[in-house]
Amino acid sequence: MTKDDAAELLARHSEALALFTDRVHAVRADQWEDPTPCTEWSVRDLVNHLTAEQLWVPDLVTDGAAVDDVGDAYDGDVLGARPRAAWDAAARAARKAFAAEGALERTVRLSYGETPAVAYCAQMTADAVVHAWDLSRAIGAPEQLPDALVAFALEEVTPYADQLAGSGLFAPPIEPPPGDSHQSRLLAMLGRRG
C-alpha cells in the first residue's frame, strides 16, 4: 500500500466515524429505544454495536491481541449511562489506532483468521457508512450519504456482498430501485430499501 493509498483510507475512515458521530449526537433522548432498519436492533443497540466494534480496534491493531484473547470484554452494554461519550471515546481510540505509524502494515487476528490491518480498516469504514444510514433513517436525520463514502463502501462491499447475508449480520440483497444511484445500489446489496 502506498502512502497516498493509506492516507486516502485513513481519510475515509475518519469521515465515516465523523458521520456516525454526527448522527449519534443527533439522537434525541426519546429515540434511544426506537427501531432501526436492522430489525433486531433499537437505536441504542445499533450505537452499542458500532461502539463495541471500535473498542476492539486498539486491542487487535495496537496490542496485537487475537479475538480469543479479548474474549467477551465488549459483549453486552458498552454505552452505560452516557452513550454519546462512550461512542466518542471508542471512535477516538479506533481512529488513533489505525492512524498510528505502521498500523496499516500489520496483520490482525480476527474471528475468521489473520487479516491485513488495511482490510480490517476498510471493512470497519464501510460498516460505519452503512450503519450511519441506518441511524439516519431511525432518527429522521438526512439519509443522503457523502458521495466519497458511498463510493468507498460500494467498492469495499461488492466483492463479498453475496457472503454477507449468510453471516446472519445482513439481510439478503434486494433489487435496487429504478434510477440505480450508487447509494441505492449499496443499500440494496445489503438488504436495505433507501
Side-chain angles (χ1 to χ4, degrees), residues 4-57:
D4 287 347
D5 290 341
E8 183 174 344
L9 174 57
L10 292 173
R12 294 295 89 78
H13 179 254
S14 289
E15 290 163 11
L17 291 180
L19 177 64
F20 197 81
T21 298
D22 179 71
R23 297 309 189 260
V24 169
H25 284 266
V27 177
R28 294 189 321 261
D30 64 341
Q31 291 181 309
W32 288 101
E33 296 308 318
D34 286 358
T36 70
C38 304
T39 56
E40 304 288 318
W41 288 343
S42 67
V43 167
R44 185 179 174 93
D45 295 332
L46 176 61
V47 174
N48 188 73
H49 165 71
L50 260 288
T51 303
E53 281 197 343
Q54 306 318 307
L55 291 171
W56 279 91
V57 176

Short mmCIF file of all heavy atoms in Angstrom, two decimals, residues 4-57:
data_model
loop_
_atom_site.label_atom_id
_atom_site.label_comp_id
_atom_site.label_asym_id
_atom_site.label_seq_id
_atom_site.Cartn_x
_atom_site.Cartn_y
_atom_site.Cartn_z
N ASP A 4 -0.04 7.33 -0.30
CA ASP A 4 -1.26 8.00 -0.75
C ASP A 4 -2.48 7.13 -0.50
O ASP A 4 -3.53 7.62 -0.08
CB ASP A 4 -1.16 8.36 -2.23
CG ASP A 4 -0.21 9.52 -2.50
OD1 ASP A 4 0.19 10.20 -1.52
OD2 ASP A 4 0.14 9.74 -3.66
N ASP A 5 -2.37 5.82 -0.79
CA ASP A 5 -3.49 4.90 -0.56
C ASP A 5 -3.83 4.85 0.93
O ASP A 5 -5.00 4.85 1.31
CB ASP A 5 -3.16 3.50 -1.06
CG ASP A 5 -3.10 3.42 -2.57
OD1 ASP A 5 -3.65 4.32 -3.25
OD2 ASP A 5 -2.49 2.45 -3.08
N ALA A 6 -2.79 4.78 1.76
CA ALA A 6 -3.00 4.74 3.20
C ALA A 6 -3.67 6.03 3.68
O ALA A 6 -4.60 5.99 4.49
CB ALA A 6 -1.68 4.53 3.93
N ALA A 7 -3.20 7.15 3.16
CA ALA A 7 -3.79 8.44 3.56
C ALA A 7 -5.25 8.52 3.15
O ALA A 7 -6.10 9.02 3.90
CB ALA A 7 -3.00 9.59 2.94
N GLU A 8 -5.57 8.01 1.95
CA GLU A 8 -6.96 8.04 1.49
C GLU A 8 -7.84 7.14 2.36
O GLU A 8 -8.96 7.52 2.73
CB GLU A 8 -7.06 7.62 0.03
CG GLU A 8 -8.48 7.73 -0.48
CD GLU A 8 -8.61 7.46 -1.97
OE1 GLU A 8 -7.60 7.49 -2.68
OE2 GLU A 8 -9.75 7.22 -2.39
N LEU A 9 -7.35 5.94 2.68
CA LEU A 9 -8.12 5.03 3.53
C LEU A 9 -8.36 5.66 4.90
O LEU A 9 -9.48 5.64 5.40
CB LEU A 9 -7.39 3.69 3.68
CG LEU A 9 -8.01 2.71 4.67
CD1 LEU A 9 -9.46 2.39 4.31
CD2 LEU A 9 -7.18 1.43 4.73
N LEU A 10 -7.34 6.24 5.49
CA LEU A 10 -7.50 6.88 6.79
C LEU A 10 -8.45 8.07 6.72
O LEU A 10 -9.22 8.31 7.67
CB LEU A 10 -6.14 7.30 7.36
CG LEU A 10 -5.23 6.14 7.76
CD1 LEU A 10 -3.85 6.67 8.16
CD2 LEU A 10 -5.83 5.31 8.88
N ALA A 11 -8.43 8.79 5.61
CA ALA A 11 -9.37 9.91 5.44
C ALA A 11 -10.80 9.40 5.39
O ALA A 11 -11.69 9.96 6.04
CB ALA A 11 -9.03 10.69 4.17
N ARG A 12 -11.04 8.33 4.61
CA ARG A 12 -12.40 7.78 4.53
C ARG A 12 -12.83 7.23 5.89
O ARG A 12 -13.99 7.40 6.30
CB ARG A 12 -12.47 6.64 3.50
CG ARG A 12 -12.23 7.02 2.05
CD ARG A 12 -13.29 7.94 1.44
NE ARG A 12 -12.99 9.32 1.63
CZ ARG A 12 -12.09 10.03 0.93
NH1 ARG A 12 -11.41 9.49 -0.04
NH2 ARG A 12 -11.89 11.30 1.19
N HIS A 13 -11.91 6.58 6.60
CA HIS A 13 -12.23 6.04 7.92
C HIS A 13 -12.63 7.18 8.87
O HIS A 13 -13.66 7.09 9.56
CB HIS A 13 -11.01 5.27 8.47
CG HIS A 13 -11.24 4.70 9.83
ND1 HIS A 13 -10.66 5.23 10.96
CD2 HIS A 13 -11.99 3.66 10.24
CE1 HIS A 13 -11.04 4.54 12.02
NE2 HIS A 13 -11.85 3.57 11.61
N SER A 14 -11.85 8.24 8.89
CA SER A 14 -12.18 9.39 9.75
C SER A 14 -13.51 10.03 9.37
O SER A 14 -14.30 10.39 10.24
CB SER A 14 -11.07 10.44 9.68
OG SER A 14 -9.92 9.98 10.35
N GLU A 15 -13.76 10.14 8.06
CA GLU A 15 -15.02 10.72 7.60
C GLU A 15 -16.21 9.85 8.01
O GLU A 15 -17.26 10.36 8.40
CB GLU A 15 -15.00 10.88 6.08
CG GLU A 15 -14.05 11.95 5.60
CD GLU A 15 -13.73 11.84 4.11
OE1 GLU A 15 -14.40 11.05 3.40
OE2 GLU A 15 -12.79 12.51 3.66
N ALA A 16 -16.06 8.53 7.91
CA ALA A 16 -17.14 7.63 8.28
C ALA A 16 -17.43 7.73 9.78
O ALA A 16 -18.60 7.77 10.20
CB ALA A 16 -16.80 6.20 7.90
N LEU A 17 -16.38 7.77 10.58
CA LEU A 17 -16.58 7.92 12.03
C LEU A 17 -17.20 9.27 12.36
O LEU A 17 -18.08 9.36 13.23
CB LEU A 17 -15.25 7.75 12.77
CG LEU A 17 -14.65 6.35 12.78
CD1 LEU A 17 -13.34 6.33 13.57
CD2 LEU A 17 -15.62 5.32 13.32
N ALA A 18 -16.78 10.31 11.66
CA ALA A 18 -17.35 11.64 11.90
C ALA A 18 -18.83 11.68 11.54
O ALA A 18 -19.64 12.29 12.25
CB ALA A 18 -16.58 12.70 11.11
N LEU A 19 -19.19 11.01 10.44
CA LEU A 19 -20.59 10.96 10.03
C LEU A 19 -21.42 10.23 11.08
O LEU A 19 -22.49 10.71 11.48
CB LEU A 19 -20.71 10.24 8.68
CG LEU A 19 -22.12 10.04 8.14
CD1 LEU A 19 -22.80 11.39 7.86
CD2 LEU A 19 -22.08 9.19 6.88
N PHE A 20 -20.93 9.10 11.54
CA PHE A 20 -21.68 8.35 12.56
C PHE A 20 -21.74 9.17 13.85
O PHE A 20 -22.78 9.20 14.51
CB PHE A 20 -21.05 6.97 12.79
CG PHE A 20 -21.99 6.04 13.51
CD1 PHE A 20 -22.98 5.36 12.82
CD2 PHE A 20 -21.88 5.85 14.88
CE1 PHE A 20 -23.86 4.52 13.49
CE2 PHE A 20 -22.76 5.00 15.56
CZ PHE A 20 -23.75 4.33 14.86
N THR A 21 -20.66 9.84 14.20
CA THR A 21 -20.64 10.69 15.39
C THR A 21 -21.71 11.77 15.30
O THR A 21 -22.45 12.02 16.27
CB THR A 21 -19.25 11.34 15.58
OG1 THR A 21 -18.29 10.31 15.77
CG2 THR A 21 -19.23 12.30 16.76
N ASP A 22 -21.82 12.40 14.14
CA ASP A 22 -22.84 13.42 13.93
C ASP A 22 -24.23 12.85 14.20
O ASP A 22 -25.05 13.49 14.86
CB ASP A 22 -22.74 13.95 12.50
CG ASP A 22 -23.79 14.99 12.20
OD1 ASP A 22 -23.68 16.12 12.74
OD2 ASP A 22 -24.75 14.67 11.45
N ARG A 23 -24.49 11.65 13.71
CA ARG A 23 -25.81 11.03 13.90
C ARG A 23 -26.03 10.64 15.36
O ARG A 23 -27.13 10.80 15.89
CB ARG A 23 -25.97 9.81 12.99
CG ARG A 23 -25.92 10.13 11.50
CD ARG A 23 -26.87 11.27 11.09
NE ARG A 23 -26.96 11.42 9.66
CZ ARG A 23 -26.31 12.33 8.96
NH1 ARG A 23 -25.49 13.18 9.55
NH2 ARG A 23 -26.46 12.40 7.65
N VAL A 24 -25.00 10.12 16.02
CA VAL A 24 -25.14 9.76 17.44
C VAL A 24 -25.50 10.99 18.26
O VAL A 24 -26.38 10.95 19.13
CB VAL A 24 -23.85 9.10 17.98
CG1 VAL A 24 -23.89 8.97 19.50
CG2 VAL A 24 -23.63 7.74 17.32
N HIS A 25 -24.86 12.12 17.95
CA HIS A 25 -25.14 13.33 18.70
C HIS A 25 -26.49 13.95 18.35
O HIS A 25 -26.97 14.83 19.08
CB HIS A 25 -23.99 14.33 18.53
CG HIS A 25 -22.80 13.97 19.34
ND1 HIS A 25 -22.56 14.46 20.60
CD2 HIS A 25 -21.78 13.10 19.08
CE1 HIS A 25 -21.44 13.93 21.09
NE2 HIS A 25 -20.96 13.10 20.18
N ALA A 26 -27.10 13.48 17.27
CA ALA A 26 -28.43 13.97 16.88
C ALA A 26 -29.56 13.14 17.50
O ALA A 26 -30.74 13.52 17.39
CB ALA A 26 -28.57 13.97 15.36
N VAL A 27 -29.24 12.03 18.14
CA VAL A 27 -30.28 11.19 18.76
C VAL A 27 -30.91 11.95 19.93
O VAL A 27 -30.20 12.40 20.83
CB VAL A 27 -29.69 9.84 19.26
CG1 VAL A 27 -30.77 9.02 19.96
CG2 VAL A 27 -29.08 9.05 18.11
N ARG A 28 -32.23 12.09 19.86
CA ARG A 28 -32.94 12.73 20.97
C ARG A 28 -33.11 11.74 22.12
O ARG A 28 -33.09 10.52 21.92
CB ARG A 28 -34.32 13.22 20.51
CG ARG A 28 -34.29 14.33 19.48
CD ARG A 28 -35.69 14.90 19.24
NE ARG A 28 -36.74 13.89 19.25
CZ ARG A 28 -37.28 13.34 18.14
NH1 ARG A 28 -36.87 13.70 16.95
NH2 ARG A 28 -38.22 12.42 18.25
N ALA A 29 -33.34 12.25 23.30
CA ALA A 29 -33.48 11.40 24.49
C ALA A 29 -34.59 10.38 24.34
O ALA A 29 -34.50 9.27 24.87
CB ALA A 29 -33.73 12.28 25.72
N ASP A 30 -35.65 10.74 23.60
CA ASP A 30 -36.79 9.82 23.45
C ASP A 30 -36.63 8.86 22.28
O ASP A 30 -37.55 8.10 21.97
CB ASP A 30 -38.09 10.61 23.30
CG ASP A 30 -38.13 11.46 22.03
OD1 ASP A 30 -37.05 11.73 21.44
OD2 ASP A 30 -39.24 11.85 21.62
N GLN A 31 -35.47 8.84 21.61
CA GLN A 31 -35.29 7.99 20.42
C GLN A 31 -34.43 6.75 20.65
O GLN A 31 -34.33 5.91 19.77
CB GLN A 31 -34.67 8.80 19.28
CG GLN A 31 -35.59 9.86 18.71
CD GLN A 31 -34.94 10.61 17.58
OE1 GLN A 31 -33.82 11.10 17.71
NE2 GLN A 31 -35.63 10.69 16.45
N TRP A 32 -33.81 6.61 21.81
CA TRP A 32 -32.85 5.53 22.01
C TRP A 32 -33.47 4.14 21.87
O TRP A 32 -32.79 3.20 21.48
CB TRP A 32 -32.14 5.68 23.36
CG TRP A 32 -31.17 6.81 23.33
CD1 TRP A 32 -31.35 8.06 23.84
CD2 TRP A 32 -29.87 6.82 22.73
NE1 TRP A 32 -30.24 8.85 23.60
CE2 TRP A 32 -29.32 8.10 22.92
CE3 TRP A 32 -29.12 5.86 22.05
CZ2 TRP A 32 -28.06 8.46 22.46
CZ3 TRP A 32 -27.85 6.21 21.58
CH2 TRP A 32 -27.34 7.48 21.79
N GLU A 33 -34.74 4.00 22.15
CA GLU A 33 -35.39 2.68 22.04
C GLU A 33 -36.17 2.52 20.73
O GLU A 33 -36.80 1.48 20.51
CB GLU A 33 -36.31 2.43 23.24
CG GLU A 33 -35.56 2.36 24.57
CD GLU A 33 -34.38 1.38 24.57
OE1 GLU A 33 -34.53 0.26 24.02
OE2 GLU A 33 -33.31 1.73 25.10
N ASP A 34 -36.11 3.51 19.85
CA ASP A 34 -36.81 3.42 18.56
C ASP A 34 -36.19 2.34 17.69
O ASP A 34 -34.99 2.03 17.79
CB ASP A 34 -36.74 4.76 17.82
CG ASP A 34 -37.66 5.80 18.43
OD1 ASP A 34 -38.39 5.49 19.40
OD2 ASP A 34 -37.64 6.95 17.95
N PRO A 35 -36.99 1.76 16.77
CA PRO A 35 -36.47 0.72 15.87
C PRO A 35 -35.55 1.31 14.80
O PRO A 35 -35.59 2.50 14.52
CB PRO A 35 -37.74 0.14 15.23
CG PRO A 35 -38.74 1.25 15.30
CD PRO A 35 -38.41 2.04 16.54
N THR A 36 -34.74 0.44 14.22
CA THR A 36 -33.84 0.82 13.13
C THR A 36 -34.09 -0.12 11.95
O THR A 36 -34.78 -1.13 12.10
CB THR A 36 -32.36 0.69 13.55
OG1 THR A 36 -32.04 -0.70 13.68
CG2 THR A 36 -32.07 1.43 14.84
N PRO A 37 -33.52 0.16 10.78
CA PRO A 37 -33.63 -0.79 9.67
C PRO A 37 -33.00 -2.16 9.98
O PRO A 37 -33.29 -3.14 9.31
CB PRO A 37 -32.88 -0.10 8.53
CG PRO A 37 -33.02 1.35 8.84
CD PRO A 37 -32.93 1.42 10.34
N CYS A 38 -32.14 -2.22 10.98
CA CYS A 38 -31.59 -3.50 11.45
C CYS A 38 -32.66 -4.08 12.38
O CYS A 38 -32.77 -3.66 13.53
CB CYS A 38 -30.29 -3.29 12.20
SG CYS A 38 -29.03 -2.41 11.26
N THR A 39 -33.45 -5.00 11.87
CA THR A 39 -34.71 -5.38 12.51
C THR A 39 -34.60 -5.83 13.96
O THR A 39 -35.54 -5.69 14.72
CB THR A 39 -35.42 -6.49 11.70
OG1 THR A 39 -34.51 -7.59 11.55
CG2 THR A 39 -35.83 -6.00 10.33
N GLU A 40 -33.46 -6.33 14.36
CA GLU A 40 -33.31 -6.80 15.74
C GLU A 40 -32.85 -5.70 16.69
O GLU A 40 -32.82 -5.92 17.90
CB GLU A 40 -32.27 -7.94 15.79
CG GLU A 40 -32.58 -9.11 14.87
CD GLU A 40 -33.75 -9.93 15.36
OE1 GLU A 40 -33.84 -10.18 16.57
OE2 GLU A 40 -34.59 -10.31 14.52
N TRP A 41 -32.48 -4.53 16.14
CA TRP A 41 -31.83 -3.52 16.96
C TRP A 41 -32.62 -2.24 17.10
O TRP A 41 -33.18 -1.72 16.14
CB TRP A 41 -30.48 -3.14 16.35
CG TRP A 41 -29.42 -4.18 16.46
CD1 TRP A 41 -29.40 -5.26 17.29
CD2 TRP A 41 -28.21 -4.23 15.70
NE1 TRP A 41 -28.25 -5.98 17.09
CE2 TRP A 41 -27.50 -5.38 16.13
CE3 TRP A 41 -27.66 -3.43 14.71
CZ2 TRP A 41 -26.26 -5.73 15.60
CZ3 TRP A 41 -26.43 -3.78 14.19
CH2 TRP A 41 -25.75 -4.92 14.64
N SER A 42 -32.61 -1.71 18.32
CA SER A 42 -33.09 -0.36 18.58
C SER A 42 -31.94 0.61 18.24
O SER A 42 -30.81 0.18 17.94
CB SER A 42 -33.46 -0.21 20.07
OG SER A 42 -32.28 -0.30 20.86
N VAL A 43 -32.22 1.90 18.34
CA VAL A 43 -31.17 2.90 18.13
C VAL A 43 -30.02 2.65 19.10
O VAL A 43 -28.85 2.65 18.71
CB VAL A 43 -31.75 4.33 18.30
CG1 VAL A 43 -30.64 5.37 18.41
CG2 VAL A 43 -32.69 4.66 17.14
N ARG A 44 -30.35 2.40 20.35
CA ARG A 44 -29.30 2.14 21.35
C ARG A 44 -28.50 0.90 20.99
O ARG A 44 -27.27 0.88 21.11
CB ARG A 44 -29.90 2.02 22.75
CG ARG A 44 -28.82 1.87 23.82
CD ARG A 44 -29.41 1.76 25.23
NE ARG A 44 -28.34 1.49 26.17
CZ ARG A 44 -27.66 2.41 26.84
NH1 ARG A 44 -27.94 3.68 26.68
NH2 ARG A 44 -26.69 2.07 27.67
N ASP A 45 -29.19 -0.16 20.56
CA ASP A 45 -28.49 -1.39 20.18
C ASP A 45 -27.51 -1.13 19.02
O ASP A 45 -26.40 -1.66 19.01
CB ASP A 45 -29.47 -2.48 19.74
CG ASP A 45 -30.38 -2.96 20.86
OD1 ASP A 45 -29.97 -2.91 22.04
OD2 ASP A 45 -31.50 -3.41 20.53
N LEU A 46 -27.96 -0.35 18.04
CA LEU A 46 -27.12 -0.04 16.88
C LEU A 46 -25.88 0.74 17.31
O LEU A 46 -24.76 0.41 16.91
CB LEU A 46 -27.93 0.75 15.86
CG LEU A 46 -27.18 1.24 14.62
CD1 LEU A 46 -26.62 0.08 13.82
CD2 LEU A 46 -28.10 2.09 13.75
N VAL A 47 -26.07 1.77 18.12
CA VAL A 47 -24.93 2.56 18.58
C VAL A 47 -24.02 1.70 19.46
O VAL A 47 -22.79 1.78 19.37
CB VAL A 47 -25.41 3.83 19.32
CG1 VAL A 47 -24.23 4.59 19.94
CG2 VAL A 47 -26.19 4.74 18.36
N ASN A 48 -24.60 0.84 20.27
CA ASN A 48 -23.81 -0.07 21.11
C ASN A 48 -22.95 -0.99 20.24
O ASN A 48 -21.76 -1.20 20.52
CB ASN A 48 -24.74 -0.89 22.01
CG ASN A 48 -23.99 -1.69 23.03
OD1 ASN A 48 -23.47 -1.15 24.01
ND2 ASN A 48 -23.91 -3.00 22.83
N HIS A 49 -23.54 -1.53 19.17
CA HIS A 49 -22.81 -2.42 18.26
C HIS A 49 -21.60 -1.71 17.65
O HIS A 49 -20.48 -2.24 17.67
CB HIS A 49 -23.76 -2.91 17.15
CG HIS A 49 -23.07 -3.52 15.99
ND1 HIS A 49 -22.46 -4.75 16.04
CD2 HIS A 49 -22.89 -3.06 14.72
CE1 HIS A 49 -21.93 -5.03 14.86
NE2 HIS A 49 -22.17 -4.02 14.04
N LEU A 50 -21.83 -0.50 17.12
CA LEU A 50 -20.72 0.23 16.50
C LEU A 50 -19.67 0.65 17.53
O LEU A 50 -18.47 0.62 17.24
CB LEU A 50 -21.24 1.48 15.78
CG LEU A 50 -21.41 1.40 14.27
CD1 LEU A 50 -20.12 1.40 13.52
CD2 LEU A 50 -22.27 0.24 13.87
N THR A 51 -20.11 0.98 18.73
CA THR A 51 -19.17 1.35 19.79
C THR A 51 -18.30 0.15 20.17
O THR A 51 -17.08 0.27 20.28
CB THR A 51 -19.92 1.89 21.02
OG1 THR A 51 -20.73 3.02 20.61
CG2 THR A 51 -18.97 2.33 22.12
N ALA A 52 -18.92 -1.00 20.34
CA ALA A 52 -18.16 -2.21 20.68
C ALA A 52 -17.15 -2.53 19.58
O ALA A 52 -16.00 -2.89 19.86
CB ALA A 52 -19.11 -3.38 20.91
N GLU A 53 -17.56 -2.38 18.32
CA GLU A 53 -16.63 -2.63 17.21
C GLU A 53 -15.41 -1.73 17.29
O GLU A 53 -14.29 -2.16 17.03
CB GLU A 53 -17.33 -2.43 15.86
CG GLU A 53 -18.20 -3.58 15.45
CD GLU A 53 -18.54 -3.56 13.98
OE1 GLU A 53 -18.38 -2.51 13.33
OE2 GLU A 53 -18.94 -4.61 13.47
N GLN A 54 -15.62 -0.46 17.65
CA GLN A 54 -14.48 0.47 17.76
C GLN A 54 -13.58 0.09 18.93
O GLN A 54 -12.36 0.24 18.86
CB GLN A 54 -14.96 1.91 17.92
CG GLN A 54 -15.93 2.41 16.87
CD GLN A 54 -15.60 2.00 15.46
OE1 GLN A 54 -14.50 2.21 14.98
NE2 GLN A 54 -16.57 1.40 14.78
N LEU A 55 -14.17 -0.41 20.01
CA LEU A 55 -13.39 -0.79 21.18
C LEU A 55 -12.41 -1.93 20.88
O LEU A 55 -11.34 -2.02 21.50
CB LEU A 55 -14.31 -1.18 22.33
CG LEU A 55 -15.12 -0.03 22.95
CD1 LEU A 55 -16.17 -0.56 23.92
CD2 LEU A 55 -14.20 0.97 23.63
N TRP A 56 -12.76 -2.78 19.92
CA TRP A 56 -11.87 -3.88 19.54
C TRP A 56 -10.59 -3.40 18.86
O TRP A 56 -9.55 -4.06 18.92
CB TRP A 56 -12.60 -4.81 18.56
CG TRP A 56 -13.53 -5.77 19.19
CD1 TRP A 56 -14.87 -5.59 19.43
CD2 TRP A 56 -13.22 -7.09 19.64
NE1 TRP A 56 -15.41 -6.70 20.00
CE2 TRP A 56 -14.42 -7.65 20.14
CE3 TRP A 56 -12.06 -7.85 19.66
CZ2 TRP A 56 -14.47 -8.94 20.66
CZ3 TRP A 56 -12.12 -9.14 20.18
CH2 TRP A 56 -13.31 -9.66 20.67
N VAL A 57 -10.65 -2.27 18.16
CA VAL A 57 -9.56 -1.86 17.28
C VAL A 57 -8.22 -1.70 18.01
O VAL A 57 -7.21 -2.28 17.56
CB VAL A 57 -9.93 -0.60 16.48
CG1 VAL A 57 -8.75 -0.11 15.63
CG2 VAL A 57 -11.14 -0.86 15.59
#
